[in-house]
């Protein structure tokens, strides 16, 4: 019988290739994130909280959007990648923070954002509650996370089949660590359970061609970090890893990726004096 070890992030921020993995995520998903942030009211004078800022790729956009009268607080359990970005902007602060155990500043932000911070942890209701509590009355929470229901190859092949079998083989390991591959579709319900109103959502699915410089590193770097973990060694054979990497390097391989679900909701009420 395996022992569940929740509240453990499977990726390693200190891994030499982690910056490349984060950059791939940013390149793929920042355009959609910025579109949502603009539509939800990030503007001159806004106070914005970014939870789990990662490498901080959209901090320059936020700094310009909120202007000299606004501010951005970006937090993460590991700030090594985002801190150098924030140093360039007087209205951006990066702060070390563990959202699993620590509250955010209460009732202070017009917009709160978190991307890919729920899929790894079973304490999703608690995390959403902390994010929602950071909003001013009338403020908006935007969360984005994966739903793997759309993920799969376009055409069968030996390597594609081997890679799909590998994913199925690793699924119990992910679940034992609190990972939920279908958390994306649950985001609206999580927001409503936190008491937010005017909840809505949208999904974005990107396609991948093998050897793609945009999406392939998300998969290859994540896999390499996973199989390097002590508790994962022995789950995956060298042959299975080789088949997976061949698939991701094949320029004729096509697939649809995970759906990046975005869900947003508003804290009821109006700020005093607004």
């Amino acid at each position: 019988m395996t022992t569940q070890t929740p509240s453990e992030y499977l990726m390693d921020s200190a891994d030499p290739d982690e910056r490349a993995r984060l950059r791939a995520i940013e390149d793929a998903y920042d355009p959609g994130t910025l579109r949502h942030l603009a539509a939800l009211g990030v503007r001159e004078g806004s106070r914005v909280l970014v939870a789990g800022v990662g490498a901080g790729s959209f901090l320059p956009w936020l700094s310009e959007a909120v202007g000299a009268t606004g501010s951005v607080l970006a937090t993460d359990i590991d700030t090594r990648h985002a801190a150098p970005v924030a140093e360039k902007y007087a209205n951006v602060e990066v702060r070390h923070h563990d959202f699993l155990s620590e509250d955010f500043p209460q009732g202070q932000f017009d917009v709160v954002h978190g991307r890919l911070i729920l899929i790894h942890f079973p304490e999703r209701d608690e995390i959403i509650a902390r994010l929602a509590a950071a909003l001013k009355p009338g403020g908006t929470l935007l969360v984005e996370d994966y739903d793997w229901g759309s993920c799969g190859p376009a055409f069968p092949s030996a390597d594609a089949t081997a890679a799909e079998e590998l994913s199925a083989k690793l699924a119990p390991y992910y679940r034992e660590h609190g990972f939920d591959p279908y958390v994306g579709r649950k985001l609206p319900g999580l927001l409503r359970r936190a008491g937010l109103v005017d909840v809505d959502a949208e999904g974005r699915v990107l396609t991948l061609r093998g050897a793609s410089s945009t999406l392939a590193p998300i998969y290859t770097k994540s896999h390499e970090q996973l199989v390097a973990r002590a508790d994962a060694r022995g789950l995956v054979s060298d042959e299975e890893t080789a088949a997976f990497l061949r698939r991701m390097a094949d320029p004729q391989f096509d697939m649809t990726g995970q759906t990046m679900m975005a869900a947003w909701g508003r804290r009821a009420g109006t700020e005093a004096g607004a």
Side-chain angles (χ1 to χ4, degrees):
M1 180 176 180
T2 56
T3 302
Q4 186 173 14
T5 56
S7 308
E8 181 183 4
Y9 185 50
L10 288 174
M11 298 298 107
D12 181 4
S13 297
D15 188 280
D17 288 332
E18 177 63 359
R19 186 64 188 86
R21 191 184 73 88
L22 292 174
R23 174 59 67 188
I25 292 172
E26 294 163 353
D27 289 345
Y29 297 111
D30 276 5
T33 294
L34 298 184
R35 176 171 59 85
H36 284 302
L37 289 170
L40 293 173
V42 174
R43 58 184 180 270
E44 179 76 30
S46 293
R47 296 195 66 188
V48 179
L49 168 66
V50 180
V53 67
S57 58
F58 52 89
L59 292 180
W61 182 92
L62 283 172
S63 174
E64 182 176 358
V66 304
T69 60
S71 63
V72 179
L73 173 62
T75 75
D76 208 296
I77 192 71
D78 189 329
T79 62
R80 76 185 71 195
H81 299 297
V85 179
E87 289 174 356
K88 303 174 184 177
Y89 304 97
N91 58 355
V92 177
E93 176 190 356
V94 169
R95 186 183 301 176
H96 178 274
H97 180 265
D98 182 357
F99 54 69
L100 291 176
S101 60
E102 301 171 336
D103 289 333
F104 296 98
Q106 303 284 289
Q108 297 188 19
F109 299 97
D110 300 290
V111 176
V112 173
H113 173 259
R115 185 173 71 191
L116 297 177
I117 65 172
L118 298 172
I119 196 167
H120 294 277
F121 305 110
E123 302 93 339
R124 295 174 189 99
D125 282 295
E126 292 90 337
I127 295 169
I128 291 289
R130 286 194 169 99
L131 295 170
L135 291 168
K136 296 177 181 178
T140 300
L141 171 61
L142 168 66
V143 287
E144 300 177 278
D145 228 308
Y146 285 146
D147 191 295
W148 284 69
S150 60
C151 193
F155 300 101
S157 70
D159 286 340
T161 299
E164 296 306 304
E165 291 174 351
L166 175 60
S167 295
K169 184 177 182 179
L170 289 172
Y173 173 84
Y174 284 122
R175 288 195 296 269
E176 288 165 9
H177 287 74
F179 188 91
D180 181 356
Y182 304 112
V183 71
R185 67 190 66 180
K186 301 172 184 175
L187 295 180
L190 290 170
L191 296 184
R192 288 192 294 268
R193 287 210 300 246
L196 299 181
V197 299
D198 300 331
V199 173
D200 207 345
E202 177 188 274
R204 312 190 301 278
V205 180
L206 302 182
T207 59
L208 177 147
R209 170 161 289 182
S212 163
S213 60
T214 302
L215 288 182
I218 299 175
Y219 297 89
T220 58
K221 300 302 182 185
S222 296
H223 180 80
E224 289 167 2
Q225 284 195 41
L226 173 65
V227 297
R229 288 175 58 96
D231 62 342
R233 290 173 193 156
L235 294 178
V236 180
S237 70
D238 291 343
E239 292 77 11
E240 289 169 322
T241 290
F244 172 80
L245 295 177
R246 282 197 304 271
R247 182 184 80 159
M248 301 311 298
D250 179 2
Q252 300 304 311
F253 174 75
D254 294 296
M255 67 174 286
T256 54
Q258 309 97 317
T259 301
M260 177 63 82
M261 290 294 298
W264 55 91
R266 182 175 59 83
R267 181 177 177 181
T270 303
E271 186 182 9

